[in-house]
Amino acid sequence: MADLFDRFESLRARRDGLVGDGGHDPFQVEMDEVLSQTEAMIGGRRTILAGTNNYLGLTFAPESLKAAHDALDAAGTGTTGSRVANGTYSGHKALEQALSSFLGKEHAIVFSTGYLANLSVLSTLVGPDDYILMDADCHASIYDGVRMGDAQIIRFKHNDAADLDKRLARLAKKPGNKLIVIEGIYSMLGDKAPLDEIVAVKKKYDDVYLLSDEAHSLGVLGRYGRGLPEEAGLEDDVDFIVGTFSKSVGTVGGFCVSNHPQFDLLRLACRPYIFTASLPPSVVASAKASLELVEKGGALRKRLMRNAERLHSGLTALGFTLGGDVSPVVAVVAPDVEIGVAFWRGLMDGGIYVNLALPPATPQNFTLLRCSLCAAHTTEQVDRIIEVFAEVADSLGILPKQSKKKTALG
Amino acid sequence: MSAEPSDGASQDVRAVVLEVLQTFNKTGVTLGDGTRFTEDLNFDSLLVMEFIAALEDRLDISVPLNVLPDVETVGQLVVATEQIVREEHG
Ligand SMILES: Cc1ncc(COP(=O)(O)O)c(C=O)c1O
């Protein structure tokens, strides 16, 4: 008799192959106790967290904690309803106003997660006669969002404005709107979009809109943390900005902002906005408080970048191959999945948590030991991360400097 | 990078599809219109994406992801690709 779960057989085999032989399971890490933004007890060991996307370390910001506590006491543990029913409180509206004034766009909509923000916007903004032109390295939530909609989905080569240009040129004679979708900082390798080149291409054609997912760049780039568009001085050229509260804002939730006068109509069109419960008041309150800290967070951004540079140059000096330029995401490329898993376990045994990222969730089939830094990491913690990377590479016999073969992790 | 599809419409799309596909043929089956991507070529979603990108380069076209769910065999891909070549270069 066929079992319902037979269809997962290859998944099971792959999982067992990766984690079957004991040791830490990369997909079942349990934080027994979170000690701070940068440390947790994992499996009885004090562990430095270097893979949390908690870029500014705001998860324990006193202002945000207080706002969350107050809202919890005042408005309860949850809204028990959709934004379009009983789930919009004054806090949700205040958060939308705060986003709108922070990002300088007329309209803002808050969703329950960034994933749902992408599903919502990408599945409804464009219709059957329209085209999505998305960067091939876009996040799974973008792939899922465009698949949920009816537009024609075209991928252009990662960060290749000339390839985008070619594809737009071929569509120029076709009616229908075109929506370019990019990310400010790409989540896996930490590389930035060439926004100036993409905007220049966009301006060559009619009926082209630009959406940027600033999940990893909000709070990180720009003097005031408004992301890549601010850093590049191109905020007016990005028509839609999607973002999340689950990274630099330190809580959970998603949003989209735009100047389009009819933007609010999306509230009546997006199923992942309508058919899910709204964020609880405490989350909404802490997101709003943290956004203020993001805007004022110049000093945090400096510390974050200093940490990023230190980790990037330390790992480069050891001979590791890194996925991109200096950014708060520092991705070490492992030669294959087996070494990647062994390396990740070695890091855990050494008290360092990073993300193990495997194909197909990674660009170019890379196996990645993906670190993300936090403004709250101390110099000593960053140095310890580098030290453990060196120790593990050494114990696996793949430290590029020592083995003459420059291929290992290099 | 790509062949110049100067006479796009008349270009032998089938031959190009087969030629590009041959570089992704790890199972060694003989390629024909009936060859199935999943069953015969063991393609997973990642390999499909890589193959389509190579085909796009070669023919200087964009293959919308939307066509992929309906494509099970090489023959079906040839038909879909011919239509795109006609639309984009015809
Ligand atoms: C680029 C990108 N977009 C969207 C998301 C989803 O964000 P959230 O965690 O709020 O669902 C993520 C994070 O996973 C991301 O990396």
Side-chain angles (χ1 to χ4, degrees):
Chain A
M1 211 178 64
D3 187 282
L4 193 56
F5 278 65
D6 283 350
R7 58 196 234 85
F8 299 115
E9 186 50 30
S10 65
L11 186 64
R12 189 195 60 74
R14 187 161 180 238
R15 180 201 61 189
D16 291 355
L18 285 181
V19 305
D21 53 340
H24 288 285
D25 179 344
F27 311 112
Q28 313 257 358
V29 172
E30 190 178 325
M31 313 252 168
D32 304 324
E33 192 189 345
V34 174
L35 304 172
S36 72
Q37 304 97 307
T38 60
E39 282 191 314
M41 297 301 294
I42 303 178
R45 196 180 207 301
R46 200 178 179 100
T47 301
I48 297 175
L49 302 175
T52 60
N53 304 319
N54 188 4
Y55 299 115
L56 300 183
L58 296 180
T59 45
F60 287 92
E63 298 89 331
S64 312
L65 287 173
K66 176 163 191 327
H69 282 299
D70 290 351
L72 184 63
D73 290 336
T77 50
T79 68
T80 71
S82 156
R83 287 297 309 272
V84 297
N86 56 304
T88 295
Y89 292 8
S90 60
H92 296 81
K93 288 316 253 186
L95 178 57
E96 286 174 343
Q97 271 151 25
L99 276 166
S100 161
S101 64
F102 173 45
L103 293 169
K105 300 277 188 206
E106 292 284 312
H107 308 280
I109 303 180
V110 165
F111 299 87
S112 295
T113 67
Y115 180 83
L116 292 176
N118 271 332
L119 288 195
S120 293
V121 174
L122 295 168
S123 68
T124 51
L125 203 50
V126 273
D129 301 325
D130 301 326
Y131 296 86
I132 298 244
L133 291 108
M134 60 182 288
D135 187 288
D137 278 8
C138 277
H139 187 255
S141 57
I142 293 173
Y143 274 91
D144 290 357
V146 302
R147 286 208 175 96
M148 238 174 91
D150 302 316
Q152 294 294 305
I153 308 155
I154 293 171
R155 303 187 324 155
F156 63 91
K157 285 186 194 148
H158 176 54
N159 275 355
D160 189 338
D163 189 55
L164 171 65
D165 193 359
K166 240 178 21 183
R167 291 171 195 268
L168 275 171
R170 291 193 297 250
L171 294 176
K173 51 186 186 295
K174 302 207 184 186
N177 295 305
K178 288 99 192 177
L179 179 67
I180 303 170
V181 183
I182 60 169
E183 294 177 23
I185 289 180
Y186 285 86
S187 54
M188 282 295 141
L189 300 181
D191 49 342
K192 276 184 229 175
L195 190 59
D196 50 345
E197 294 171 29
I198 285 171
V199 165
V201 168
K202 174 200 168 191
K203 286 181 168 167
K204 288 172 67 177
Y205 303 95
D206 297 327
D207 306 321
V208 183
Y209 297 84
L210 175 59
L211 180 151
S212 183
D213 182 343
E214 295 290 320
H216 294 268
S217 32
L218 186 88
V220 168
L221 299 180
R223 177 156 182 224
Y224 296 101
R226 298 198 299 265
L228 182 62
E230 186 199 347
E231 185 187 76
L234 294 166
E235 288 175 280
D236 288 344
D237 295 296
V238 181
D239 303 287
F240 303 92
I241 290 178
V242 170
T244 174
F245 304 139
S246 75
K247 306 188 195 298
S248 64
V249 183
T251 177
V252 66
F255 67 85
C256 183
V257 298
S258 173
N259 277 331
H260 196 289
Q262 303 300 328
F263 187 64
D264 268 351
L265 282 173
L266 288 184
R267 293 183 201 271
L268 301 176
C270 296
R271 296 172 65 85
Y273 177 82
I274 299 169
F275 295 104
T276 197
S278 67
L279 289 170
S282 55
V283 165
V284 169
S286 71
K288 183 163 176 291
S290 292
L291 271 183
E292 287 170 26
L293 301 176
V294 165
E295 188 166 13
K296 292 188 295 199
L300 294 176
R301 278 183 279 285
K302 276 210 189 79
R303 280 221 290 281
L304 174 65
M305 285 307 171
R306 212 162 52 213
N307 287 339
E309 274 157 27
R310 194 173 184 90
L311 183 62
H312 195 279
S313 64
L315 293 176
T316 303
L318 287 169
F320 289 106
T321 300
L322 304 186
D325 296 335
V326 176
S327 105
V329 175
V330 178
V332 174
V333 181
D336 61 42
V337 173
E338 282 68 37
I339 294 177
V341 173
F343 206 105
W344 182 86
R345 287 200 173 127
L347 292 173
M348 287 297 281
D349 291 338
I352 307 292
Y353 173 79
V354 305
N355 305 125
L356 175 67
L358 302 176
T362 51
Q364 301 166 57
N365 285 346
F366 281 147
T367 296
L368 299 174
L369 299 153
R370 176 188 178 278
C371 311
S372 61
L373 287 147
C374 179
H377 280 129
T378 62
T379 305
E380 292 71 33
Q381 285 177 316
V382 176
D383 288 348
R384 180 66 192 149
I385 297 167
I386 297 167
E387 195 175 287
V388 177
F389 260 92
E391 285 167 16
V392 175
D394 200 23
S395 75
L396 293 174
I398 52 170
L399 192 63
K401 275 205 159 164
Q402 296 178 354
S403 68
K404 266 167 269 143
K405 268 181 48 205
K406 223 197 161 307
T407 47
L409 270 175
Chain B
M1 199 181 236
S2 59
E4 185 54 57
S6 48
D7 51 352
S10 68
Q11 190 174 13
D12 191 354
V13 170
R14 172 178 276 98
V16 174
V17 168
L18 291 176
E19 181 195 320
V20 176
L21 188 56
Q22 191 56 46
T23 64
F24 289 83
N25 182 0
K26 302 284 188 288
T27 62
V29 297
T30 307
L31 300 177
D33 276 359
T35 309
R36 296 164 303 174
F37 290 99
T38 312
E39 291 85 350
D40 302 325
L41 288 163
N42 266 339
F43 271 29
D44 57 15
S45 57
L46 209 69
L47 210 53
V48 168
M49 293 295 192
E50 284 178 24
F51 163 58
I52 292 297
L55 189 64
E56 288 182 320
D57 268 356
R58 187 69 164 65
L59 288 168
D60 200 22
I61 55 171
S62 294
V63 178
L65 297 191
N66 316 55
V67 309
L68 299 182
D70 295 328
V71 170
E72 276 176 35
T73 66
V74 171
Q76 289 165 344
L77 181 67
V78 168
V79 171
T81 308
E82 277 170 347
Q83 190 185 337
I84 294 167
V85 170
R86 262 197 310 278
E87 279 178 19
E88 296 204 339
H89 298 291

